[in-house]
Amino acid sequence: MIVHVTKDANGKPYKFETEGHAGYDDKGKDIVCAAASVLIINFINSVEKFTEDGFRCDKDEEHDQVSFEFTDSQSEESELLFNSLLLGLESVEDGYGSRFLKVSVD
């Protein structure tokens, strides 16, 4: 699984795209994919519930893809939530290796 995060000119993450399956185990048994999925879903739900920030989110289950992007400026709360998402994803990558989860940040 690859998670590509894009930051704005001020260094704030504002969008991400995922692709592929982690491949740590079969679908339904893959703890790396499950960990990344929980982090991503919780991030999206938290932005929706705890902020007024606008965003666009699309998923393509057939191709194991999710994309998320803020559509306007983001609040400090959303910035914190996004940084927390990055921390969690990078921790999973460190623990299981970039062979299964690769987080890239531009």
Side-chain angles (χ1 to χ4, degrees):
M1 171 185 263
I2 298 170
V3 181
H4 180 77
V5 177
T6 305
K7 292 185 175 185
D8 66 15
N10 297 317
K12 291 182 180 181
Y14 73 95
K15 78 176 188 178
F16 70 81
E17 298 170 338
T18 71
E19 63 182 73
H21 183 66
Y24 185 79
D25 202 340
D26 295 333
K27 283 189 176 187
K29 297 179 181 179
D30 193 326
I31 60 174
V32 174
C33 192
S37 296
V38 166
L39 289 166
I40 289 166
I41 292 166
N42 189 64
F43 164 75
I44 295 165
N45 289 341
S46 294
V47 169
E48 185 173 42
K49 181 168 178 105
F50 299 123
T51 78
E52 298 295 320
D53 297 352
F55 64 89
R56 179 177 52 247
C57 183
D58 297 302
K59 68 177 181 175
D60 180 348
E61 291 183 29
E62 183 178 331
H63 296 101
D64 297 320
Q65 297 174 325
V66 175
S67 63
F68 174 95
E69 182 174 4
F70 285 105
T71 56
D72 219 345
S73 62
Q74 54 183 296
S75 63
E76 289 181 15
E77 292 83 3
S78 285
E79 183 180 3
L80 177 62
L81 291 168
F82 211 136
N83 285 322
S84 178
L85 170 64
L86 271 173
L87 176 66
L89 291 171
E90 289 170 342
S91 294
V92 173
E93 179 183 27
D94 289 345
Y96 290 92
S98 59
R99 176 175 161 219
F100 301 108
L101 175 62
K102 174 67 180 156
V103 181
S104 69
V105 182
D106 290 337

